[in-house]
Amino acid sequence: MGDSAMDKIKGKAKEAAGKATGNDRMAAEGKTDQAKGKTKDAMENMKKRAEGTRDSLTDKRDDI
């Protein structure tokens, strides 16, 4: 399980605990943790797409 998945899981648990206990701060921290996990996923996807683009451009340059 990746770091981003752990952030999302931790965030969901924190948010649920905060809502159950009426602790608005904990619920907000949970939402923040979930957003952090989603951001990490997006950055990893962007990195993979950039590497794919680089690889495809390198392949085309080799064909010339």
Side-chain angles (χ1 to χ4, degrees):
M1 190 175 308
D3 194 32
S4 63
M6 288 301 293
D7 284 334
K8 289 189 263 185
I9 291 169
K10 179 178 77 170
K12 283 187 186 280
K14 228 185 224 187
E15 182 181 7
K19 284 182 178 181
T21 60
N23 187 333
D24 293 336
R25 182 176 177 179
M26 183 183 288
E29 286 176 7
K31 286 185 177 189
T32 301
D33 288 342
Q34 290 176 63
K36 187 188 326 180
K38 290 177 184 178
T39 301
K40 286 179 183 179
D41 280 342
M43 292 299 293
E44 185 62 30
N45 288 338
M46 185 185 300
K47 180 181 172 187
K48 287 179 183 178
R49 291 178 69 186
E51 288 171 354
T53 301
R54 181 197 65 210
D55 292 345
S56 68
L57 291 173
T58 301
D59 290 344
K60 289 182 186 212
R61 188 175 53 204
D62 291 341
D63 292 340
I64 297 176

